Amino acid sequence: MTLKDISIKTSLVWLVAAMILIISSRLTSLGVAAWNMDEGVTAAIAEVILDGGTPYRDAVDHRGPATYYVYAAWFSLVGGDGLAKMQSLQIALVILVTTLAVGVYALGKMAGGNRTAAIAVVWFAIVTSNGWAGDVRAFHTEWVLAFGSLAGALLLLRALPDRNLSFLFFSGLFFGLAFTAKQPAALDMLAACCLISFDILVPVGKSTPLESATRWSSLIRCLLVTALGFLVLPLLMAGYLYSQGAWSDFLTWFWRYNTEFYMPMVDSADRLQAIIAPWTNYMVREQPLSFIPAGLGLLLGVMQLIKPGTASIGSLKSLDWPGRIRLFFGGWLLLGWLAANLSGREFGHYLIQIFVPLALISGVTINSYVKRFAEWYGAYR
C-alpha cells in the first residue's frame, strides 16, 4: 500500500499549530529583560550605533556586525527606555522564529511534499522550544544567521532548476547576511556551492559530468554570481568601517581575536571531540529525542551513498530534484554542525545554526519511516 500525501490544507493546519506552539512557549519570556549576557553586550553596541558610534572602534565584541544593526533597527522602531527596549526583544524574536517556521515549511514541501513539510515545521517548533532558556529564548546572533541561511537556501532552490542568476545573486546576498552575523556561516554558503556544483555537473539523467564544456561554463557563471551576492554585505560593511577609521579594530576583533585567542583557548583534541562526538554536547545530552531522527536519517543516508555501486555517476545522476534537495539538507546539517562546534565550546545556542536543517532532515526521516510502515502494514494486513 502506497501512502498518499496529506492535503495542503492539513499541512497548513500543522503549520499554524507549530506557530502557535512557538508563540505560546515564549509567552513567559515577555517582560524578561535578558536571558543571556550576550543580549546585553549586543544591546550596548546597538545603543552606541544609535548614538552615532561605530562598532569595533567605540564598542568591542568578537561577533559579526549584522546583529548589532538588527538590534539598533529594532530599538529605533520601538523606542522607550533601556529596560523597555530589552523587554521588547522577545517580541522581535517571536516574530523572527515564526518567520523561520514558515521558511522551514516551504523547504520541507520542496523536499518531500506536504507531510514532510508538516513534520519538519512541528519538529522545528519543538526544537526551538526545548533546551536551556539562555540558549533558545535569548536573541542570540545565531538567530540572524539562521534567517540569512534559510532565506539563502529558499532562493537557491528556486534558482537552480532554471539557472536563474538573479535569484542566485540574492541567495548569495542572504548567505552573506548570515556570514556578517557570525563567521561560521561561511560553511552554510559552502553547502550551497556544493549543491550548485553537483546539480550542474551531474544533471538529472544526463551524460557524465566532464563531457560538456558548456556545463563547466554554466557552473563557473552560477558560482561567480552567487559569490558576488555573498560578498556584497561584507564588502559594504568593510568599506563603512574603513571610512570610520575602524578597519584595524574590525580585523582585530572579528578575525584575529577569534583565530589567535578564542579558538586556541580550547585544546585541539577537545575541539575535534566536539565535532566527531555529538553525544558529548550538553544540549544533545539534555534533549536527545530532538536529535535522534536527524542523526538516524544522516546515518542511513551515508550508508546508502557508500553502498557499492550507489556512489557511481550513473546512480547519482538518477537522483531527482527532491532527492538532491534532501542531499543538500544533509550536507547543510553536517557542515552546520562542524561550524557550530569549531570552537569546541559547549554553548547550546551555537546549535541554533543547525536548527533549520535539523528540522528538515528530521521531517524527511520521519516521513520516510511513516511511508515504510504504511507499506509494511498494507502488505501484512
Side-chain angles (χ1 to χ4, degrees):
M1 180 182 72
T2 301
L3 186 65
K4 293 182 179 179
D5 198 4
I6 63 175
S7 68
I8 188 170
K9 289 184 179 179
T10 302
S11 69
L12 287 172
V13 169
W14 284 107
L15 169 61
V16 172
M19 295 171 72
I20 291 173
L21 174 59
I22 289 170
I23 295 170
S24 60
S25 70
R26 293 175 180 274
L27 288 177
T28 56
S29 292
L30 300 181
V32 175
W35 281 109
N36 189 285
M37 64 177 291
D38 289 351
E39 292 174 293
V41 173
T42 306
I45 296 174
E47 289 292 347
V48 168
I49 292 171
L50 291 175
D51 290 337
T54 302
Y56 307 107
R57 185 194 67 191
D58 303 319
V60 171
D61 190 35
H62 64 104
R63 299 175 186 85
T67 309
Y68 310 148
Y69 286 92
V70 170
Y71 269 48
W74 179 258
F75 288 167
S76 178
L77 177 67
V78 299
D81 59 23
L83 178 61
K85 290 177 180 178
M86 291 300 296
Q87 291 172 330
S88 73
L89 281 175
Q90 286 300 317
I91 298 174
L93 186 56
V94 167
I95 295 171
L96 178 56
V97 178
T98 52
T99 301
L100 289 172
V102 175
V104 167
Y105 174 85
L107 286 171
K109 189 173 176 63
M110 291 181 183
N114 297 325
R115 185 183 296 104
T116 297
I119 297 171
V121 74
V122 169
W123 208 261
F124 178 76
I126 293 171
V127 170
T128 56
S129 302
N130 278 338
W132 179 51
D135 288 315
V136 298
R137 294 197 182 190
F139 197 147
H140 288 289
T141 192
E142 286 83 3
W143 288 116
V144 179
L145 182 163
F147 172 78
S149 292
L150 183 145
L154 278 169
L155 288 166
L156 173 70
L157 298 181
R158 170 64 179 82
L160 263 184
D162 301 321
R163 309 292 188 254
N164 188 311
L165 296 181
S166 296
F167 276 43
L168 281 175
F169 176 83
F170 284 103
S171 172
L173 186 72
F174 277 105
F175 280 115
L177 170 64
F179 175 72
T180 56
K182 192 178 181 186
Q183 302 89 322
L187 291 182
D188 289 355
M189 176 65 174
L190 176 59
C193 292
C194 288
L195 176 63
I196 293 171
S197 302
F198 174 70
D199 191 58
I200 293 176
L201 294 182
V202 190
V204 179
K206 297 291 178 64
S207 55
T208 55
L210 299 180
E211 187 176 297
S212 173
T214 304
R215 202 167 296 152
W216 282 100
S217 64
S218 176
L219 171 63
I220 294 170
R221 184 166 59 249
C222 289
L223 288 177
L224 281 176
V225 169
T226 309
L228 284 173
F230 178 82
L231 291 172
V232 167
L233 290 178
L235 288 178
L236 284 176
M237 182 56 61
Y240 169 74
L241 292 172
Y242 183 83
S243 69
Q244 299 299 308
W247 177 247
S248 62
D249 302 294
F250 171 68
L251 287 180
T252 296
W253 294 106
F254 183 79
W255 184 254
R256 287 188 59 233
Y257 173 81
N258 288 293
T259 58
E260 297 178 18
F261 298 97
Y262 189 73
M263 289 183 62
M265 284 172 64
V266 178
D267 184 81
S268 57
D270 292 333
R271 283 187 275 133
L272 180 61
Q273 177 180 305
I275 293 168
I276 65 175
W279 53 88
T280 63
N281 185 282
Y282 108 87
M283 188 172 272
V284 177
R285 295 196 309 269
E286 293 293 318
Q287 305 290 340
L289 292 179
S290 299
F291 297 87
I292 286 175
L296 183 61
L298 285 175
L299 178 62
L300 294 176
V302 170
M303 290 173 62
Q304 182 67 28
L305 285 175
I306 64 176
K307 186 186 299 183
T310 304
S312 66
I313 294 299
S315 177
L316 290 174
K317 71 183 182 183
S318 65
L319 199 61
D320 61 9
W321 180 237
R324 289 162 186 252
I325 293 176
R326 294 191 289 271
L327 187 64
F328 165 62
F329 290 166
W332 184 8
L333 178 56
L334 287 173
L335 287 172
W337 176 265
L338 172 63
N341 289 279
L342 276 175
S343 71
R345 285 171 169 78
E346 205 175 46
F347 295 149
H349 61 267
Y350 282 9
L351 297 190
I352 292 172
Q353 179 169 353
I354 68 167
F355 279 0
V356 170
L358 176 74
L360 291 167
I361 289 294
S362 298
V364 168
T365 303
I366 294 172
N367 183 50
S368 173
Y369 277 95
V370 167
K371 292 195 294 185
R372 289 186 185 187
F373 176 79
E375 292 172 0
W376 171 85
Y377 180 78
Y380 289 94
R381 187 176 177 181

